Amino acid sequence: MSTAEARVRAAAEPTGDGAASTVHTFCRYCLAACGIEVTVVGNRVTKIAADKQNPHSWHDFCAKGRTANQLVEHPRRILAPMRRVGDSYVEATWDEALTDIAARMNALIDADGPDAIGVYYGNPAGFSSSNIVFMNGWLDAVGTRNRYFVGSVDQNAMHVVSEAMYGSQLMSPVSDVDHCDYFLLVGTNPAVSAWNWLETVPGGWRRALARQQAGATIVVVDPVATESARKADVHLAVRPGQDWALLLAMVKVVLDEGLEHREDCADLATGVDDLRALVAEADLDDLAGRCEVPRETIERVARDFAAARGAMVVTRTGVSLHEAGTVAEWLGHVLNVTTGRMDRPGGRRFERGYVDALRMFELAKVKPHRSRLRGREMVAGAHALAELPDEITTPGPGQIRALVINSGNPVVSGPDGAALDAALAQLDLLVVVDFVQRESHRHAHWLLPAVHWLERNDLPAFTSSMHDEPFIQYGVKAVEPPPQAREEWRIWVDLALAMRRPLFGARGVNAFVAATRRLAAVTRRPGLAFTPHWIDRLLVATSRKVNGRRLRWRDVLAHPHGLVLGPREYGHFRDALRTEDKRVHATPPEFLTRARELLATPAPVGPLGYPFQLGNRRHRHSMNSWLNELPGLHPAGKGNEVLIHPDDAADLGIGAGERVRVSSPVAAIELDAALTPAVRRGLVVVDHGWGSRIFDPRGGGAPESFGVNRNLLVGADGMDPLSQTSTLGGAWVAVEPV
Ligand SMILES: Nc1nc2c(c(=O)[nH]1)N[C@H]1C(S)=C(S)[C@@H](COP(=O)(O)OP(=O)(O)OC[C@H]3O[C@@H](n4cnc5c(=O)[nH]c(N)nc54)[C@H](O)[C@@H]3O)O[C@H]1N2
Ligand SMILES: Nc1nc2c(c(=O)[nH]1)N[C@H]1C(S)=C(S)[C@@H](COP(=O)(O)OP(=O)(O)OC[C@H]3O[C@@H](n4cnc5c(=O)[nH]c(N)nc54)[C@H](O)[C@@H]3O)O[C@H]1N2
Ligand code: SF4
Ligand SMILES: [Mo]
């Protein structure tokens, strides 16, 4: 073992003697990936601080990272496999769990075929390379096409646009914040959400504000005067769901007035003529009316954007969670492409990363499949969450009868949670891999104890092309997990072995893993048993050359704070494009058709009796549907509330703090009113992610819950047809005092 390796090992190993040790790693709650310094005494984390020696990524450090050990030590944490017996749970051994699950799944597959097994995976699966790789290895072992993931309530629009324009779903351009002179931020609140959505731009918001100090302009497009909008030079309080009209109007101004970047429009991109044809059919006043932003303002912003030296459009969930999400996402990229922002300073770069993630993704690509009932193609290797309930409840070949939920809480974070909850109750087998039993895990037959990132080593190689500079850091664990908790990769491997189905669908892998385990047992050297660490080392050994030199594992270990691998580079984008002609496809036909459809349809209005639009917000101290319950992050008993414009409240007879019923054609919820001019009139805003219960499978205590789930108001029918994303940002509701 090298000295560097010994040092990292020593830092990661419990001292046991009460002396404090320090571990440098990074937070894996969100893609900001902040560098942290963890103080450990015994096997307990006593303090988490920002790692100010991290050369890349400590800058967004927030209270969620600071209190990450609270989830590790959650009083209701699942500490051993738990089997459902009647209405309660009993602890079991891993052998019992794996044997039972394998037997039941195999019986279902024998009877009904592999599609009888389904999976839903959430964000944290993607934030752990070993989890996502081996989960896919297990899914390929099973052979099921019933795969569902969080993308259809999040970033699918980006995947669809990247695939169509750049040739790869994973080709997400990265913000070059430090050189930007004009930020057009659409449907994002980076002051709260920390500049991350398929990109890691540590301290992105603070760096944008520093650019503003130096003269840059920040424009925020958001129906709410958010924390970010209040700091912006220009705030466009767009009509929810109408960003496509705003962005199309801007593209029209750019093309009609000849403000485009000639070279990129002629050489880098194809399809610009189709764009010209599209904007010729659109009328600026009509578009301005749809998005409710004055025409003159649109023209001014478009001209200033095109004229700026460095500029970028950034689009996020405020755009994607609407029916026209993909078209708006596309038009954001179009503005970047047509004004010459791709891979130029201050625009959106292509970061190569130390491994070729795009190529690996292609090798691992899931075979195309249409969903059984709705006949829709997969997006980014999975079907839409909105389809899951019916796929469980509708009998016939291909019906899902066993489901695994890998780090997700879709009953709360997706549409029509009531329908999904009812469907989950009908499964023959529901297996959950998580730390605690949340709302979506209520009907689980098995709860399998997972490992927190503070307890897990990980090299997130596949997201290395999402960092805003070439960077590598090994995510070392700070503490050892509870004895019976298991890293997710191991659960997938063990399950494939127990089911006797070949990992990755490839012959020989199971035998190889089993052989290494036997060798480890015989020689009493546990290090000889296969772990994903072998893959980490292989990836580093075969990584791209940096400064003409190959990266070595010992370099990685010698830099516990992370290693910046060189300056930001420009000029790799064209070469990296995955389209056959190596050009950006500016106007994919399906987007064009859909844009014409939107142009031909009047702006949507709510059904009779539901005049308000339901908006949405994130909390700095919550992570979607989790962390709401942690006392270090939220005052006891704190829930979410509904934000209403004071004039709307006055019309409705609602006073500040009063109880309000918000209802849609699907459901009704009650919460307290907070009056604020920050929201547009006609819009009410409720934080998402609340109202998820936490059960107590070990202690049998009453479930705990804070706030209410606003997504119950959103039906499963509303969908962006191009990305299959649920319209979680677009519900129509009624508001009345209780
Ligand atoms: N109305 C509305 N709805 C939304 C959104 C919105 O803006 N508005 N946002 C959408 C977006 S962007 C997202 S990403 C979704 C996410 O919504 P969620 O489903 O809330 O979040 P996830 O992060 O995917 O999954 C959370 C689960 O993973 C578990 N977990 C955390 N870390 C680990 C780990 O390391 N291992 C394991 N095994 N489990 C772990 C947590 O305990 C929790 O149960 O919500 C979407 N829903
Ligand atoms: N603290 C914290 N940070 C997080 C998360 C978290 O839950 N908490 N979640 C992480 C995850 S999973 C993700 S995907 C990212 C998401 O990152 P962001 O997309 O930046 O998420 P939000 O902060 O919800 O910002 C979305 C904004 O869009 C606005 N909006 C809603 N509808 C519309 C519309 O029709 N048009 C426009 N223009 N704007 C609209 C909302 O008012 C809101 O301010 O954040 C990540 N970071
Ligand atoms: S949760 Fe906070 S500390 Fe953790 S990576 Fe995100 S911004 Fe950084
Ligand atoms: Mo997300």
Side-chain angles (χ1 to χ4, degrees), residues 123 127 150-151 153-155 196-197 317 618 623-624 688:
N123 268 320
F127 294 172
V150 69
V153 291
D154 187 355
Q155 84 280 8
N196 63 80
W197 202 54
T317 60
R618 263 162 235 279
M623 184 46 77
N624 297 304
H688 88 279

Side-chain angles (χ1 to χ4, degrees), residues 511-561:
F512 169 74
V513 172
T516 67
R517 287 180 175 184
R518 272 196 305 276
L519 189 65
V522 171
T523 58
R524 299 201 190 162
R525 291 169 62 192
L528 292 179
F530 170 82
T531 76
H533 185 55
W534 297 15
I535 300 176
D536 297 344
R537 295 193 61 154
L538 188 69
L539 287 174
V540 167
T542 56
S543 64
R544 247 188 258 286
K545 282 191 179 155
V546 177
N547 296 330
R549 198 166 73 80
R550 227 179 248 308
L551 198 63
R552 289 163 313 174
W553 185 249
R554 78 172 93 116
D555 301 327
V556 178
L557 292 185
H559 293 85
H561 307 286

Side-chain angles (χ1 to χ4, degrees), residues 674-689:
L675 308 192
T676 168
V679 298
R680 280 170 56 106
R681 288 207 65 178
L683 178 74
V684 294
V685 173
V686 181
D687 282 26
H688 88 279

Side-chain angles (χ1 to χ4, degrees), residues 232-248:
D233 301 278
V234 182
H235 171 212
L236 307 182
V238 67
R239 181 151 185 259
Q242 298 302 304
D243 300 273
W244 72 272
L246 175 70
L247 291 165
L248 183 60

Side-chain angles (χ1 to χ4, degrees), residues 29 45-46 48 65-74 452 454:
Y29 275 157
V45 174
T46 56
I48 303 178
R66 185 166 51 70
T67 56
N69 55 320
Q70 286 200 0
L71 193 49
V72 172
E73 298 178 6
H74 200 290
H452 190 277
L454 278 164

Side-chain angles (χ1 to χ4, degrees), residues 56 172-185 195 198-205 207-212 216-217 309-314 316 336 340-351 465-470 566-571:
H56 171 58
S172 49
V174 179
S175 307
D176 187 18
V177 172
D178 297 330
H179 300 102
C180 185
D181 304 293
Y182 203 97
F183 297 90
L184 183 51
L185 308 180
W195 214 291
L198 298 171
E199 65 172 341
T200 295
V201 187
W205 178 238
R207 283 154 58 189
L209 292 176
R211 289 297 297 166
Q212 189 186 38
T217 302
R309 201 177 33 171
M312 65 172 80
V313 180
V314 176
R316 297 271 202 260
N336 283 330
R341 311 308 182 178
M342 300 309 286
D343 208 25
R344 290 216 170 75
R348 305 291 298 268
R349 272 186 340 108
F350 173 72
E351 169 60 46
S465 58
M466 294 178 191
H467 285 262
D468 84 322
E469 63 184 343
R568 293 187 181 100
E569 292 177 10
Y570 306 86

